[in-house]
Amino acid sequence: MMRENPPANEPQDSDIEVGKPKAWAAGMPGVLHSMIPAIKDMGVDRTRKTMLSLNQKDGFDCMSCAWPDPDHRKAFEFCENGAKAVTWEATPIVVSSSFWAEHSVSDLLTRSEYWLGTQGRLTEPVYKPAGEDHYRPISWDKAFAIVGNKLNSLESPNEAVFYTSGRASNEAAFAYQLFARGYGTNNLPDCSNMCHESTGRALDPTIGIGKSTIAYDDFGKADLIIIMGQNPGTNSPRMLTALEEAKDNGAEIVAVNPLPEAGLRRYKNPQQVKGIIGHGTEIADQFIQIRLGGDMALLQAVSKRVLDAEAENPGTVLDRQFLDEHCEGLEELTLHLAELDDVAVREATGLRIDEIDELAARYLKAERVIITWAMGITQHKKAVATIKEIINLLLLRGNIGKPGAGACPIRGHSNVQGDRTMGVWEQMPQSFMDALGKEFGFEPPIDHGVDAVKTIQSMRDGGIKFFMALGGNLVGAIADTNAAEAAMHGTDMTVQISTKLNRSHAVVGKEALILPTMGRTEVDRQASGEQFVSVEDTVCAVHPSFGVIEPVAPGLLSEVAIISRLARATIGEKTNADWPGFEKDYDLIREHISHVVEGCQDYNIKIRKDGGFVLPNGPRDSRTFHTPTGKAMITVNGLEFIGRPAATLILQTMRSHDQFNTTIYGFDDRYRGIKKGRHVVFVNPEDLAELSLEDGQQVDIHGVHDDGAQRVLRNYRVVAYPSARGCAATYFPEANVLVPLDKVADDSNTPVSKAVIVRLEPAQKQESPVKSF
């Protein structure tokens, strides 16, 4: 189906409507907001096939988050945003061949992310030659030859970058990293560099694995769940069901967040009577409205209270047996926290001491504690140290390696964790590289590659000349938008393997190609028959994913097929990989994975078991910690928090409810009361009064940095909102322009998108008043 006309329903800033934030999440409105658009855009039959197969054992894995699936699944195992993601991918609307003649690259640059995405599915390879402003359709063979010739003309393999998003399957990710390393580079940045890189950097040295230490069922066994820097109602809605089950089993839940999100308040489960006609389930027993960047101070303050309680009643508070057998560093932490000043803690957190005391009392009472976190923790300068403090607190009372307890980073993209397991990382350990080289008969490159931020910096400095992306939208997701786009424009060639258009298809090098690929919802037929792929969720469970609907157009290639043909056109027989065999039968890829990737032995057998299999996890399975000492490391971290100059605010970027990463499904943020627009900034009413600003006023948001560059968002509507004092929030990716490229988390190099110092000034140009409802 071709789209006759572009969408005409993109609102203007003057259309924005502002209402009250919602007090609960999901319920029947969530069902209606997902199913009505699905039926409208896909039709009844396509909607039925996709929605009834979403997250089922014989269906496909949702592409919108990595939340794990229960063993006993319901008929409707999906959420509102998952349904939106499926509708977005499985649309029968396609981009016509005439589109490329009608729309130049310069024209695409003027279009919004929403407009680009609504043009439909990509179905044919297109190429923009150097010196021209239009893509033109070409054959697959010609496209692969262009890429191969360009890569083989570079002076060094390290002039090329192979980026990956979390939507790629394990099979595609493994083949992709093999292609890059067979070509000769470890330049394999991925979306983890911008989200959970801080998690891995904290967990690897402290507990020996950069992943969650719990299973799905642990939520139902916990006494206390602490949710930090996360909005499950929008970003991982299926988590609310697990939290509801935990509450039904007697767990207490504490939410630590600058904004009072609806999903942290009350959940109305549309699959239960109480969620349809009843009150639903109250989620947070305590809401700690923390100042941005204050999480480290809060965690240290709670740990200090635990240590003080042990000092008052020796042998009754700490898990001494666990600490003695499995941990190091307790004495050093005790001495360090003895000097912690409650005045500094209050300044860092913006909290009252009694709020901190209440959290400490809950922790001391609970025998089984889970702490979960997301990008509200990872995108700070001290993110790595903050996550180490999470581990400190858990270790003190043995809350790792027992049922109902552990550390649980929440991954926001479907297979971002699986991509890393399969080798998509610029710094894979030598054991993986040795196994890869042995398996495929070549010498993998030795030098570490570049991450996402270093990719842009190297492009800017002329070191990176070729960029390929397996999914994703790097220029939309990365910090310092203007600098990132200028750097990408300076490359010789950009190649995007994609299902739909986004900003990265308009911000291109001198030459550019788009290679359209099949989506996860679609049946993948190869020479050996129908194929399936596999993914890893946030609790290390690996399971198969089967496409259920016919491809949107004939001639589409799968990700595996595209990678295999690119490799054949570029590196030929530099490795002993059977690239034609990979494309023909994905079992061959999985057989190689079983020889290379730790924990994946007998992959083809285990992936075919009911529900797949779970990767080994030392801390969870046996309280085994693969650190240099063989023990979990309790660490000492100097307290730092964000200073706020006079007349400024600390800004965080965030998603709206009608959004998945950089993909914009619509212009409503239902839970926060916003309709028909995205150009808003949420500010506490007391801060507005202090800054002599008014609710509804148009302002310019100026980044306050010491590099002299001007970073401004113009004409944003101020929304008085119950945020933490001194803090503000606005939407990603538009606000990325305010985040300097070199403002990154210590050690992880992740952009500090939750800690941007800004100044609000009356807009230079006033727009018409915004109506309220």
Side-chain angles (χ1 to χ4, degrees), residues 724-754:
R725 282 298 311 273
C727 302
T730 193
Y731 296 129
F732 155 101
E734 292 89 340
N736 289 352
V737 69
L738 299 171
V739 187
L741 194 62
D742 62 351
K743 296 296 184 183
V744 294
D746 294 346
D747 194 33
S748 69
N749 216 39
T750 294
V752 293
S753 302
K754 300 296 186 289

PDB file of all heavy atoms in Angstrom, residues 724-754:
ATOM      1  N   ALA A 724      10.754  18.027  41.289  1.00  0.00           N
ATOM      2  CA  ALA A 724      11.615  18.374  42.413  1.00  0.00           C
ATOM      3  C   ALA A 724      12.094  19.813  42.261  1.00  0.00           C
ATOM      4  O   ALA A 724      12.304  20.301  41.148  1.00  0.00           O
ATOM      5  CB  ALA A 724      12.799  17.418  42.474  1.00  0.00           C
ATOM      6  N   ARG A 725      12.263  20.495  43.370  1.00  0.00           N
ATOM      7  CA  ARG A 725      12.724  21.874  43.349  1.00  0.00           C
ATOM      8  C   ARG A 725      14.105  21.978  42.696  1.00  0.00           C
ATOM      9  O   ARG A 725      14.988  21.159  42.898  1.00  0.00           O
ATOM     10  CB  ARG A 725      12.823  22.449  44.768  1.00  0.00           C
ATOM     11  CG  ARG A 725      11.516  22.879  45.402  1.00  0.00           C
ATOM     12  CD  ARG A 725      10.817  24.001  44.627  1.00  0.00           C
ATOM     13  NE  ARG A 725      11.677  25.114  44.292  1.00  0.00           N
ATOM     14  CZ  ARG A 725      11.912  26.170  45.072  1.00  0.00           C
ATOM     15  NH1 ARG A 725      11.347  26.228  46.268  1.00  0.00           N
ATOM     16  NH2 ARG A 725      12.667  27.152  44.658  1.00  0.00           N
ATOM     17  N   GLY A 726      14.235  23.019  41.884  1.00  0.00           N
ATOM     18  CA  GLY A 726      15.505  23.266  41.211  1.00  0.00           C
ATOM     19  C   GLY A 726      15.722  22.434  39.969  1.00  0.00           C
ATOM     20  O   GLY A 726      16.775  22.523  39.337  1.00  0.00           O
ATOM     21  N   CYS A 727      14.719  21.619  39.605  1.00  0.00           N
ATOM     22  CA  CYS A 727      14.859  20.702  38.476  1.00  0.00           C
ATOM     23  C   CYS A 727      13.820  21.014  37.398  1.00  0.00           C
ATOM     24  O   CYS A 727      12.744  21.535  37.689  1.00  0.00           O
ATOM     25  CB  CYS A 727      14.696  19.257  38.933  1.00  0.00           C
ATOM     26  SG  CYS A 727      15.872  18.756  40.200  1.00  0.00           S
ATOM     27  N   ALA A 728      14.153  20.666  36.179  1.00  0.00           N
ATOM     28  CA  ALA A 728      13.234  20.841  35.053  1.00  0.00           C
ATOM     29  C   ALA A 728      13.348  19.620  34.151  1.00  0.00           C
ATOM     30  O   ALA A 728      14.280  18.813  34.275  1.00  0.00           O
ATOM     31  CB  ALA A 728      13.556  22.114  34.282  1.00  0.00           C
ATOM     32  N   ALA A 729      12.407  19.471  33.230  1.00  0.00           N
ATOM     33  CA  ALA A 729      12.419  18.322  32.331  1.00  0.00           C
ATOM     34  C   ALA A 729      11.829  18.718  30.987  1.00  0.00           C
ATOM     35  O   ALA A 729      10.905  19.538  30.916  1.00  0.00           O
ATOM     36  CB  ALA A 729      11.618  17.171  32.930  1.00  0.00           C
ATOM     37  N   THR A 730      12.366  18.128  29.933  1.00  0.00           N
ATOM     38  CA  THR A 730      11.810  18.313  28.595  1.00  0.00           C
ATOM     39  C   THR A 730      12.144  17.082  27.770  1.00  0.00           C
ATOM     40  O   THR A 730      12.849  16.183  28.226  1.00  0.00           O
ATOM     41  CB  THR A 730      12.318  19.603  27.941  1.00  0.00           C
ATOM     42  OG1 THR A 730      11.526  19.887  26.789  1.00  0.00           O
ATOM     43  CG2 THR A 730      13.775  19.488  27.531  1.00  0.00           C
ATOM     44  N   TYR A 731      11.623  17.053  26.539  1.00  0.00           N
ATOM     45  CA  TYR A 731      11.650  15.809  25.785  1.00  0.00           C
ATOM     46  C   TYR A 731      12.940  15.609  24.990  1.00  0.00           C
ATOM     47  O   TYR A 731      13.502  16.538  24.416  1.00  0.00           O
ATOM     48  CB  TYR A 731      10.452  15.733  24.838  1.00  0.00           C
ATOM     49  CG  TYR A 731       9.120  15.692  25.551  1.00  0.00           C
ATOM     50  CD1 TYR A 731       8.094  16.569  25.215  1.00  0.00           C
ATOM     51  CD2 TYR A 731       8.897  14.776  26.575  1.00  0.00           C
ATOM     52  CE1 TYR A 731       6.879  16.528  25.863  1.00  0.00           C
ATOM     53  CE2 TYR A 731       7.676  14.737  27.232  1.00  0.00           C
ATOM     54  CZ  TYR A 731       6.681  15.617  26.883  1.00  0.00           C
ATOM     55  OH  TYR A 731       5.478  15.580  27.546  1.00  0.00           O
ATOM     56  N   PHE A 732      13.351  14.356  24.972  1.00  0.00           N
ATOM     57  CA  PHE A 732      14.390  13.811  24.109  1.00  0.00           C
ATOM     58  C   PHE A 732      13.691  13.370  22.820  1.00  0.00           C
ATOM     59  O   PHE A 732      12.555  12.889  22.895  1.00  0.00           O
ATOM     60  CB  PHE A 732      14.999  12.629  24.864  1.00  0.00           C
ATOM     61  CG  PHE A 732      15.652  11.561  24.035  1.00  0.00           C
ATOM     62  CD1 PHE A 732      17.030  11.523  23.900  1.00  0.00           C
ATOM     63  CD2 PHE A 732      14.913  10.551  23.426  1.00  0.00           C
ATOM     64  CE1 PHE A 732      17.646  10.514  23.166  1.00  0.00           C
ATOM     65  CE2 PHE A 732      15.521   9.555  22.693  1.00  0.00           C
ATOM     66  CZ  PHE A 732      16.892   9.534  22.566  1.00  0.00           C
ATOM     67  N   PRO A 733      14.262  13.491  21.644  1.00  0.00           N
ATOM     68  CA  PRO A 733      15.625  13.922  21.348  1.00  0.00           C
ATOM     69  C   PRO A 733      15.791  15.415  21.108  1.00  0.00           C
ATOM     70  O   PRO A 733      16.909  15.870  20.875  1.00  0.00           O
ATOM     71  CB  PRO A 733      15.938  13.147  20.073  1.00  0.00           C
ATOM     72  CG  PRO A 733      14.622  13.080  19.346  1.00  0.00           C
ATOM     73  CD  PRO A 733      13.579  12.936  20.435  1.00  0.00           C
ATOM     74  N   GLU A 734      14.703  16.187  21.125  1.00  0.00           N
ATOM     75  CA  GLU A 734      14.824  17.608  20.804  1.00  0.00           C
ATOM     76  C   GLU A 734      15.833  18.310  21.709  1.00  0.00           C
ATOM     77  O   GLU A 734      16.600  19.170  21.268  1.00  0.00           O
ATOM     78  CB  GLU A 734      13.458  18.296  20.916  1.00  0.00           C
ATOM     79  CG  GLU A 734      12.441  17.866  19.871  1.00  0.00           C
ATOM     80  CD  GLU A 734      11.608  16.672  20.298  1.00  0.00           C
ATOM     81  OE1 GLU A 734      12.035  15.934  21.214  1.00  0.00           O
ATOM     82  OE2 GLU A 734      10.529  16.471  19.712  1.00  0.00           O
ATOM     83  N   ALA A 735      15.843  17.927  23.002  1.00  0.00           N
ATOM     84  CA  ALA A 735      16.708  18.620  23.959  1.00  0.00           C
ATOM     85  C   ALA A 735      18.161  18.170  23.892  1.00  0.00           C
ATOM     86  O   ALA A 735      19.016  18.731  24.601  1.00  0.00           O
ATOM     87  CB  ALA A 735      16.177  18.427  25.374  1.00  0.00           C
ATOM     88  N   ASN A 736      18.484  17.191  23.057  1.00  0.00           N
ATOM     89  CA  ASN A 736      19.881  16.750  22.948  1.00  0.00           C
ATOM     90  C   ASN A 736      20.813  17.875  22.526  1.00  0.00           C
ATOM     91  O   ASN A 736      22.009  17.845  22.810  1.00  0.00           O
ATOM     92  CB  ASN A 736      20.002  15.611  21.935  1.00  0.00           C
ATOM     93  CG  ASN A 736      19.401  14.315  22.442  1.00  0.00           C
ATOM     94  OD1 ASN A 736      19.027  14.212  23.612  1.00  0.00           O
ATOM     95  ND2 ASN A 736      19.297  13.340  21.575  1.00  0.00           N
ATOM     96  N   VAL A 737      20.250  18.864  21.845  1.00  0.00           N
ATOM     97  CA  VAL A 737      21.072  19.998  21.405  1.00  0.00           C
ATOM     98  C   VAL A 737      21.700  20.716  22.591  1.00  0.00           C
ATOM     99  O   VAL A 737      22.731  21.386  22.447  1.00  0.00           O
ATOM    100  CB  VAL A 737      20.210  20.967  20.564  1.00  0.00           C
ATOM    101  CG1 VAL A 737      19.175  21.679  21.421  1.00  0.00           C
ATOM    102  CG2 VAL A 737      21.079  21.983  19.835  1.00  0.00           C
ATOM    103  N   LEU A 738      21.119  20.588  23.780  1.00  0.00           N
ATOM    104  CA  LEU A 738      21.610  21.291  24.973  1.00  0.00           C
ATOM    105  C   LEU A 738      22.736  20.547  25.682  1.00  0.00           C
ATOM    106  O   LEU A 738      23.354  21.100  26.594  1.00  0.00           O
ATOM    107  CB  LEU A 738      20.458  21.504  25.966  1.00  0.00           C
ATOM    108  CG  LEU A 738      19.278  22.347  25.480  1.00  0.00           C
ATOM    109  CD1 LEU A 738      18.138  22.284  26.492  1.00  0.00           C
ATOM    110  CD2 LEU A 738      19.706  23.786  25.240  1.00  0.00           C
ATOM    111  N   VAL A 739      23.005  19.306  25.297  1.00  0.00           N
ATOM    112  CA  VAL A 739      23.984  18.474  26.007  1.00  0.00           C
ATOM    113  C   VAL A 739      25.310  18.494  25.254  1.00  0.00           C
ATOM    114  O   VAL A 739      25.410  17.932  24.169  1.00  0.00           O
ATOM    115  CB  VAL A 739      23.485  17.022  26.140  1.00  0.00           C
ATOM    116  CG1 VAL A 739      24.430  16.209  27.022  1.00  0.00           C
ATOM    117  CG2 VAL A 739      22.065  16.983  26.680  1.00  0.00           C
ATOM    118  N   PRO A 740      26.353  19.107  25.803  1.00  0.00           N
ATOM    119  CA  PRO A 740      27.646  19.132  25.112  1.00  0.00           C
ATOM    120  C   PRO A 740      28.203  17.722  24.907  1.00  0.00           C
ATOM    121  O   PRO A 740      28.024  16.842  25.754  1.00  0.00           O
ATOM    122  CB  PRO A 740      28.550  19.941  26.054  1.00  0.00           C
ATOM    123  CG  PRO A 740      27.617  20.742  26.888  1.00  0.00           C
ATOM    124  CD  PRO A 740      26.391  19.885  27.058  1.00  0.00           C
ATOM    125  N   LEU A 741      28.887  17.523  23.806  1.00  0.00           N
ATOM    126  CA  LEU A 741      29.405  16.204  23.464  1.00  0.00           C
ATOM    127  C   LEU A 741      30.411  15.702  24.496  1.00  0.00           C
ATOM    128  O   LEU A 741      30.518  14.504  24.742  1.00  0.00           O
ATOM    129  CB  LEU A 741      30.053  16.251  22.074  1.00  0.00           C
ATOM    130  CG  LEU A 741      30.362  14.914  21.406  1.00  0.00           C
ATOM    131  CD1 LEU A 741      29.092  14.111  21.176  1.00  0.00           C
ATOM    132  CD2 LEU A 741      31.100  15.139  20.087  1.00  0.00           C
ATOM    133  N   ASP A 742      31.155  16.626  25.111  1.00  0.00           N
ATOM    134  CA  ASP A 742      32.197  16.206  26.053  1.00  0.00           C
ATOM    135  C   ASP A 742      31.705  16.149  27.494  1.00  0.00           C
ATOM    136  O   ASP A 742      32.497  15.885  28.409  1.00  0.00           O
ATOM    137  CB  ASP A 742      33.421  17.111  25.956  1.00  0.00           C
ATOM    138  CG  ASP A 742      33.118  18.559  26.314  1.00  0.00           C
ATOM    139  OD1 ASP A 742      31.934  18.900  26.480  1.00  0.00           O
ATOM    140  OD2 ASP A 742      34.072  19.355  26.407  1.00  0.00           O
ATOM    141  N   LYS A 743      30.415  16.373  27.737  1.00  0.00           N
ATOM    142  CA  LYS A 743      29.860  16.240  29.079  1.00  0.00           C
ATOM    143  C   LYS A 743      29.350  14.810  29.238  1.00  0.00           C
ATOM    144  O   LYS A 743      28.252  14.466  28.792  1.00  0.00           O
ATOM    145  CB  LYS A 743      28.728  17.245  29.310  1.00  0.00           C
ATOM    146  CG  LYS A 743      29.171  18.697  29.259  1.00  0.00           C
ATOM    147  CD  LYS A 743      30.153  19.024  30.384  1.00  0.00           C
ATOM    148  CE  LYS A 743      30.515  20.506  30.372  1.00  0.00           C
ATOM    149  NZ  LYS A 743      31.512  20.847  31.406  1.00  0.00           N
ATOM    150  N   VAL A 744      30.183  13.977  29.852  1.00  0.00           N
ATOM    151  CA  VAL A 744      29.895  12.549  29.904  1.00  0.00           C
ATOM    152  C   VAL A 744      30.123  12.010  31.311  1.00  0.00           C
ATOM    153  O   VAL A 744      30.783  12.636  32.151  1.00  0.00           O
ATOM    154  CB  VAL A 744      30.785  11.768  28.909  1.00  0.00           C
ATOM    155  CG1 VAL A 744      30.446  12.129  27.476  1.00  0.00           C
ATOM    156  CG2 VAL A 744      32.264  12.017  29.198  1.00  0.00           C
ATOM    157  N   ALA A 745      29.592  10.840  31.547  1.00  0.00           N
ATOM    158  CA  ALA A 745      29.773  10.161  32.834  1.00  0.00           C
ATOM    159  C   ALA A 745      31.217   9.696  32.970  1.00  0.00           C
ATOM    160  O   ALA A 745      31.834   9.230  32.005  1.00  0.00           O
ATOM    161  CB  ALA A 745      28.830   8.973  32.936  1.00  0.00           C
ATOM    162  N   ASP A 746      31.739   9.820  34.175  1.00  0.00           N
ATOM    163  CA  ASP A 746      33.078   9.323  34.449  1.00  0.00           C
ATOM    164  C   ASP A 746      33.127   7.821  34.165  1.00  0.00           C
ATOM    165  O   ASP A 746      32.258   7.058  34.577  1.00  0.00           O
ATOM    166  CB  ASP A 746      33.457   9.569  35.918  1.00  0.00           C
ATOM    167  CG  ASP A 746      33.571  11.050  36.258  1.00  0.00           C
ATOM    168  OD1 ASP A 746      33.620  11.874  35.328  1.00  0.00           O
ATOM    169  OD2 ASP A 746      33.611  11.366  37.459  1.00  0.00           O
ATOM    170  N   ASP A 747      34.157   7.406  33.468  1.00  0.00           N
ATOM    171  CA  ASP A 747      34.461   6.002  33.172  1.00  0.00           C
ATOM    172  C   ASP A 747      33.618   5.414  32.055  1.00  0.00           C
ATOM    173  O   ASP A 747      34.132   4.681  31.213  1.00  0.00           O
ATOM    174  CB  ASP A 747      34.341   5.135  34.436  1.00  0.00           C
ATOM    175  CG  ASP A 747      34.975   3.765  34.247  1.00  0.00           C
ATOM    176  OD1 ASP A 747      35.975   3.670  33.514  1.00  0.00           O
ATOM    177  OD2 ASP A 747      34.479   2.792  34.834  1.00  0.00           O
ATOM    178  N   SER A 748      32.308   5.697  31.999  1.00  0.00           N
ATOM    179  CA  SER A 748      31.459   5.068  30.979  1.00  0.00           C
ATOM    180  C   SER A 748      31.337   5.881  29.702  1.00  0.00           C
ATOM    181  O   SER A 748      30.929   5.351  28.667  1.00  0.00           O
ATOM    182  CB  SER A 748      30.061   4.813  31.538  1.00  0.00           C
ATOM    183  OG  SER A 748      29.366   6.031  31.748  1.00  0.00           O
ATOM    184  N   ASN A 749      31.646   7.170  29.751  1.00  0.00           N
ATOM    185  CA  ASN A 749      31.566   8.064  28.583  1.00  0.00           C
ATOM    186  C   ASN A 749      30.144   8.210  28.046  1.00  0.00           C
ATOM    187  O   ASN A 749      29.924   8.529  26.880  1.00  0.00           O
ATOM    188  CB  ASN A 749      32.488   7.588  27.458  1.00  0.00           C
ATOM    189  CG  ASN A 749      33.117   8.742  26.694  1.00  0.00           C
ATOM    190  OD1 ASN A 749      33.488   9.755  27.295  1.00  0.00           O
ATOM    191  ND2 ASN A 749      33.258   8.618  25.386  1.00  0.00           N
ATOM    192  N   THR A 750      29.150   8.010  28.909  1.00  0.00           N
ATOM    193  CA  THR A 750      27.745   8.174  28.535  1.00  0.00           C
ATOM    194  C   THR A 750      27.352   9.647  28.662  1.00  0.00           C
ATOM    195  O   THR A 750      27.672  10.288  29.664  1.00  0.00           O
ATOM    196  CB  THR A 750      26.854   7.332  29.458  1.00  0.00           C
ATOM    197  OG1 THR A 750      27.134   5.949  29.233  1.00  0.00           O
ATOM    198  CG2 THR A 750      25.386   7.598  29.211  1.00  0.00           C
ATOM    199  N   PRO A 751      26.656  10.220  27.685  1.00  0.00           N
ATOM    200  CA  PRO A 751      26.224  11.619  27.800  1.00  0.00           C
ATOM    201  C   PRO A 751      25.388  11.855  29.053  1.00  0.00           C
ATOM    202  O   PRO A 751      24.555  11.015  29.423  1.00  0.00           O
ATOM    203  CB  PRO A 751      25.384  11.832  26.528  1.00  0.00           C
ATOM    204  CG  PRO A 751      25.935  10.847  25.545  1.00  0.00           C
ATOM    205  CD  PRO A 751      26.302   9.644  26.365  1.00  0.00           C
ATOM    206  N   VAL A 752      25.606  13.000  29.697  1.00  0.00           N
ATOM    207  CA  VAL A 752      24.923  13.303  30.969  1.00  0.00           C
ATOM    208  C   VAL A 752      23.596  14.005  30.701  1.00  0.00           C
ATOM    209  O   VAL A 752      23.358  15.135  31.115  1.00  0.00           O
ATOM    210  CB  VAL A 752      25.821  14.124  31.920  1.00  0.00           C
ATOM    211  CG1 VAL A 752      26.994  13.294  32.391  1.00  0.00           C
ATOM    212  CG2 VAL A 752      26.323  15.399  31.253  1.00  0.00           C
ATOM    213  N   SER A 753      22.700  13.301  30.057  1.00  0.00           N
ATOM    214  CA  SER A 753      21.431  13.883  29.629  1.00  0.00           C
ATOM    215  C   SER A 753      20.453  14.131  30.768  1.00  0.00           C
ATOM    216  O   SER A 753      19.404  14.731  30.561  1.00  0.00           O
ATOM    217  CB  SER A 753      20.774  12.975  28.587  1.00  0.00           C
ATOM    218  OG  SER A 753      21.621  12.790  27.481  1.00  0.00           O
ATOM    219  N   LYS A 754      20.767  13.668  31.965  1.00  0.00           N
ATOM    220  CA  LYS A 754      19.906  13.927  33.123  1.00  0.00           C
ATOM    221  C   LYS A 754      20.512  14.986  34.042  1.00  0.00           C
ATOM    222  O   LYS A 754      20.096  15.107  35.194  1.00  0.00           O
ATOM    223  CB  LYS A 754      19.689  12.629  33.916  1.00  0.00           C
ATOM    224  CG  LYS A 754      19.027  11.521  33.117  1.00  0.00           C
ATOM    225  CD  LYS A 754      17.611  11.893  32.704  1.00  0.00           C
ATOM    226  CE  LYS A 754      16.884  10.737  32.026  1.00  0.00           C
ATOM    227  NZ  LYS A 754      17.379  10.413  30.694  1.00  0.00           N
TER     228      LYS A 754
END
